[in-house]
Amino acid sequence: MNSRERILAAIGQNKPEYQPLPEVATFQSDYPDLVAKFSEILRFIGGTPVLVADYEEAEKYIRQTYSDLPRIVSKVPALQQLATTEWDVIDPHQLETVDLAIIQGVFGVAENSAIWVPEERGGHRVLPFICQHLVMILNASDIVPNMHDAYERLNVGESGFGVFIAGPSKTADIEQSLVIGAHGARSLSVVLLQNS
Amino acid sequence: MMNHSEAAEKFTEDVDRTTWHDKTLWFVREKRDKAVFQIPEWEALREAASRIKHNALSNLDEYLLEFEQNAVKNGVKVHWAADGHEHNEIVLQILKETGATQMVKSKSMLTEECHLNEFLLEKGVDVVDTDLGERVVQLANEPPSHIVMPCIHWKKEEIGELFHEHLGTEKGASDPKYLAEAARQHLREKFMTRRAALTGVNFAVAETGGFVVCTNEGNADMGAHLADVHIASMGIEKIIPKARHLGVFLRLLARSATGQPVTTYSSHFHRPRKGQTMHIIIVDNGRTTQLGRPDFRNSLKCIRCGACMNTCPVYRRSGGHSYHNAVAGPIGSILAPNLDMRKNADLPFASTLCGSCSNVCPVKIDIHDQLYKWRQVLTAEGYVDSAKKQGMKLMASVLSNPKLYRFSGKAGRTMMRFAPFSVSNPLNPWYKQREMPEPPKESFREWYVNREKK
Ligand code: SF4
């Protein structure tokens, strides 16, 4: 017998009597204002929510806020004009010098301000991690209350890779002092579009 | 090897340090409470998680097969390892096939359990741990002392000294921001140059053949998305049946661990990226044996949040290393005797049986009951005489120092409320040592918070 067979046989022998799955495994969250809850949590975890009317205002905000960053990639068609360099490199290592990446999220989750980003939205899987700063664009109407709703909406296996991103990267490993900017993006702005 | 009580005695010699350690962990416990109070359905959520895990364990072989089948369909190579050594050999073999002699690794308690780093080092492979806390203990040649916060026992001045020596930071620097930035730069170079990356697995989904890795730092993703080969190591118990169950577990994990609403990154891996190879190693290493112990099999429900450690009055005052096991604290003390009863007979005695661990556990493991049951098993097997004595010494050193004791009023109260059950209990030597005053049921703060919930 190889290890696979041995492990499976041991489990077959040792596992307890069959226990059914629980009938209730999803719960509702009643947040009166999803955008407000999302924004509150995002601030709490070190991100910056920005409410704008449309892409035009989004562009203005990004130009104003990140004017000092030379290397910008944009994976958002409507904000292509902000890009100063290509995201479409052959080797993802080449993205190391990216200062700012602009990426469109699919939907957000109010209870924890996580945003679902499948690999297609980043072009390269590593883009939202390797960039120094990250801006995510999200339709304000695309916010669900909690993680149960999120998985209801999601077919996780559809993309080879997908990630919920909640806030900028951080660590508290040194004496529990929170430091924003560990290995991933040092900052995260979420630009919420109201008219789309 | 020092047993738990000797190691704990040594740890508590430095009273200020012990108090500091105790407070730091209690601070995390309080953050957890704040996060939990915001979820009205918390108890129902725990119940759901517990039942999903019971279902998973009761059908584990089928789910593993389903997971394997789907993962293979997704283009992932699946390996099975009976023990730590086989796991390590598989990793080495993959590295050889890749032609890689260097690897980056994100947090994986399983690889600590398997002693992967030592093994690879011997074979000439350079492994770099990329979680900041893990890098600290790696540079210091130590194992992690906590499953979520690996260097929780290190002070920032000491980390400054360590980084000065190894990373060339300024002497005397102790600003966490500065030190974290130094680590970022140091590790970026590793991410950019390593062709192989190993990550742990938080959840493996039978239904889809995918797995989820949760981090705050982004190190798992930096490693995996830049490397030619990604190896993911998982214990057999990481399986959950359906993708939608992730909703339950992701709501519980970070809140229980650090009080965050969710980790910064919850990464869902299903297929390798173009040109990459992806491997999953499914590891037993004693888990099937534990599954066969009716009294202890529930320990396999653990999602490694660390909440039971943060709340444990003994862990907080004796430090993770005193447990001489990859996983420390209350849950480690249930898992360890399964691996080696003789070596770990002392660990189930490293507890006051106060029950705080069971109360915070997001998957409702009856931790303190299992600790009590292990004492009985170990007694019956003849391992206990010395362990029991050590247990008494432990309680004396860890809990009798008035300066230490005064701090954690809440833990003391919790413990005393359980006292009636424990007083006449010969397996709980703590109560032989002292007479306990009648405790107030709640501190004012707790009363105030609970009042709002009622
Ligand atoms: S036993 Fe429970 S509380 Fe302890 S680490 Fe595991 S899941 Fe968390």
Side-chain angles (χ1 to χ4, degrees):
Chain A
M1 265 208 291
N2 61 26
S3 290
R4 177 179 180 274
E5 286 157 9
R6 236 179 303 138
I7 293 168
L8 289 169
I11 295 171
Q13 199 154 52
N14 291 347
K15 68 182 179 181
E17 196 187 313
Y18 184 78
Q19 309 270 321
L21 280 169
E23 273 156 34
V24 184
T26 57
F27 303 89
Q28 273 184 355
S29 303
D30 305 312
Y31 302 122
D33 182 341
L34 292 176
V35 174
K37 183 74 192 176
F38 180 93
S39 303
E40 172 204 324
I41 299 290
L42 182 60
R43 258 182 237 111
F44 173 67
I45 62 175
T48 311
V50 185
L51 216 54
V52 300
D54 50 22
Y55 278 111
E56 208 173 301
E57 269 188 39
E59 181 182 342
K60 219 168 96 193
Y61 167 78
I62 296 168
R63 279 200 197 280
Q64 271 169 6
T65 317
Y66 300 96
S67 58
D68 57 326
L69 299 180
R71 295 179 66 85
I72 300 177
V73 297
S74 172
K75 191 70 184 57
V76 183
L79 296 172
Q80 206 44 59
Q81 62 280 15
L82 289 170
T84 59
T85 180
E86 283 296 308
W87 64 266
D88 197 10
V89 292
I90 295 163
D91 176 355
H93 290 85
Q94 292 169 261
L95 296 169
E96 199 215 350
T97 55
V98 169
D99 294 304
L100 174 69
I102 307 169
I103 293 174
Q104 191 132 32
V106 177
F107 66 89
V109 184
E111 72 162 323
N112 55 22
S113 81
I115 297 175
W116 178 248
V117 186
E119 60 181 330
E120 296 76 19
R121 295 290 173 108
H124 284 284
R125 290 182 184 186
V126 82
L127 182 61
F129 305 94
I130 202 170
C131 58
Q132 297 292 329
H133 301 273
L134 180 61
V135 168
M136 282 206 276
I137 309 290
L138 193 66
N139 292 335
S141 54
D142 284 326
I143 296 179
V144 299
N146 65 28
M147 290 302 274
H148 307 298
D149 307 305
Y151 284 101
E152 192 73 25
R153 186 165 162 165
L154 198 59
N155 179 359
V156 277
E158 203 172 47
S159 296
F161 173 77
V163 56
F164 278 111
I165 300 181
S169 77
K170 56 176 81 70
T171 180
D173 272 345
I174 303 177
E175 281 198 19
Q176 281 301 295
S177 303
L178 181 68
V179 178
I180 303 272
H183 300 300
R186 296 174 187 274
S187 76
L188 170 71
S189 289
V190 178
V191 179
L192 295 153
L193 302 172
Q194 285 175 300
N195 307 338
S196 55
Chain B
M1 187 189 76
M2 272 195 282
N3 64 40
H4 182 269
S5 66
E6 287 158 2
E9 207 170 319
K10 199 160 158 259
F11 187 82
T12 50
E13 267 168 21
D14 185 341
V15 173
D16 289 338
R17 193 185 190 87
T18 310
T19 305
W20 164 80
H21 189 264
D22 190 359
K23 279 187 180 162
T24 311
L25 286 153
W26 190 253
F27 168 68
V28 183
R29 159 73 210 259
E30 285 178 326
K31 285 201 295 185
R32 173 246 173 228
D33 290 349
K34 265 186 218 143
V36 166
F37 291 152
Q38 283 170 30
I39 306 296
E41 67 274 26
W42 185 257
E43 287 308 312
L45 206 53
R46 286 175 78 207
E47 182 63 27
S50 168
R51 294 227 191 151
I52 294 167
K53 282 286 185 181
H54 277 295
N55 168 267
L57 291 178
S58 76
N59 196 32
L60 191 56
D61 42 358
E62 297 295 327
Y63 285 140
L64 280 166
L65 284 169
E66 187 187 349
F67 174 75
E68 176 186 47
Q69 202 179 25
N70 288 323
V72 169
K73 235 189 280 168
N74 291 340
V76 179
K77 292 192 185 148
V78 179
H79 312 256
W80 300 70
D83 54 27
H85 184 71
E86 192 175 1
H87 166 266
N88 297 347
E89 290 285 357
I90 293 169
V91 174
L92 183 64
Q93 187 56 37
I94 296 170
L95 293 176
K96 276 187 182 156
E97 283 164 19
T98 320
T101 54
Q102 300 175 312
M103 181 171 80
V104 282
K105 180 161 120 346
S106 72
K107 201 167 354 176
S108 152
M109 288 319 296
L110 177 60
T111 59
E112 295 294 334
E113 182 187 316
C114 298
H115 303 289
L116 176 68
N117 284 16
E118 295 93 312
F119 171 87
L120 289 179
L121 195 70
E122 243 171 59
K123 306 285 177 187
V125 178
D126 169 64
V127 185
V128 172
D129 281 313
T130 58
D131 172 85
L132 175 54
E134 285 220 308
R135 188 65 182 143
V136 167
V137 291
Q138 186 183 34
L139 288 174
N141 240 324
E142 278 183 0
S145 71
H146 188 289
I147 58 177
V148 175
M149 302 167 284
C151 69
I152 192 74
H153 60 296
W154 277 71
K155 294 200 171 185
K156 56 180 192 263
E157 293 79 13
E158 295 160 347
I159 296 173
E161 196 49 45
L162 186 77
F163 278 14
H164 171 64
E165 190 185 319
H166 292 273
L167 311 185
T169 52
E170 259 171 73
K171 191 157 178 64
S174 66
D175 174 25
K177 261 201 192 114
Y178 170 82
L179 296 173
E181 179 62 30
R184 177 182 167 105
Q185 312 260 350
H186 158 71
L187 289 166
R188 225 164 227 239
E189 188 269 325
K190 312 286 179 203
F191 291 128
M192 292 303 291
T193 51
R194 298 315 191 245
R195 293 179 49 217
L198 187 145
T199 69
V201 168
N202 288 93
F203 306 100
V205 184
E207 180 185 30
T208 68
F211 58 93
V212 175
V213 181
C214 305
T215 74
N216 282 321
E217 298 185 6
N219 55 319
D221 289 277
M222 283 294 284
H225 304 319
L226 289 171
D228 299 338
V229 54
H230 174 187
I231 305 168
S233 298
M234 60 177 267
I236 54 171
E237 81 284 15
K238 294 291 170 188
I239 288 279
I240 59 172
K242 305 275 180 203
R244 66 166 192 278
H245 295 146
L246 288 167
V248 173
F249 290 105
L250 292 189
R251 295 189 78 195
L252 289 165
L253 178 60
R255 288 186 174 99
S256 300
T258 57
Q260 292 171 262
V262 71
T263 49
T264 304
Y265 306 108
S266 310
S267 301
H268 299 53
F269 294 88
H270 277 86
R271 289 183 288 282
R273 67 170 203 278
K274 222 172 134 227
Q276 186 194 39
T277 45
M278 198 180 271
H279 300 261
I280 294 172
I281 310 177
I282 300 173
V283 184
D284 179 352
N285 205 34
R287 287 164 176 76
T288 53
T289 311
Q290 188 85 321
L291 190 65
R293 301 185 203 268
D295 283 341
F296 306 113
R297 61 163 62 110
N298 289 350
S299 59
L300 296 171
K301 288 156 64 185
C302 175
I303 57 172
R304 302 286 191 269
C305 73
C308 57
M309 307 180 179
N310 306 340
T311 201
C312 176
V314 174
Y315 175 89
R316 282 187 280 122
R317 296 194 192 90
S318 61
H321 288 157
S322 62
Y323 293 79
H324 54 76
N325 187 52
V327 180
I331 181 65
S333 303
I334 305 173
L335 297 172
N338 175 58
L339 294 171
D340 187 336
M341 285 201 208
R342 181 176 302 280
K343 199 174 134 224
N344 299 313
D346 54 329
L347 293 185
F349 289 86
S351 164
T352 64
L353 301 182
C354 74
S356 183
C357 46
S358 308
N359 287 335
V360 296
C361 177
V363 289
K364 294 182 108 168
I365 300 171
D366 51 341
I367 307 170
H368 72 296
D369 287 339
Q370 290 193 36
L371 287 167
Y372 177 62
K373 285 176 187 157
W374 263 126
R375 293 181 186 186
Q376 290 172 304
V377 171
L378 294 164
T379 307
E381 304 270 336
Y383 292 119
V384 145
D385 235 28
S386 65
K388 204 161 85 182
K389 268 188 232 131
Q390 289 156 17
M392 290 208 235
K393 273 208 311 220
L394 161 81
M395 295 312 162
S397 70
V398 171
L399 297 172
S400 65
N401 184 318
K403 193 169 166 195
L404 294 180
Y405 184 71
R406 219 179 304 130
F407 162 65
S408 192
K410 177 160 172 174
R413 272 188 301 283
T414 317
M415 191 160 66
M416 284 183 270
R417 242 184 291 141
F418 282 84
F421 151 76
S422 316
V423 165
S424 58
N425 167 3
L427 292 175
N428 195 6
W430 160 231
Y431 293 99
K432 288 191 177 170
Q433 293 265 324
R434 68 209 66 240
E435 283 182 19
M436 303 301 282
E438 176 68 26
K441 282 263 180 332
E442 294 168 314
S443 71
F444 176 74
R445 216 193 126 265
E446 285 173 85
W447 168 82
Y448 184 78
V449 173
N450 287 335
R451 185 201 54 147
E452 295 211 297
K453 286 193 299 187
K454 275 170 199 161

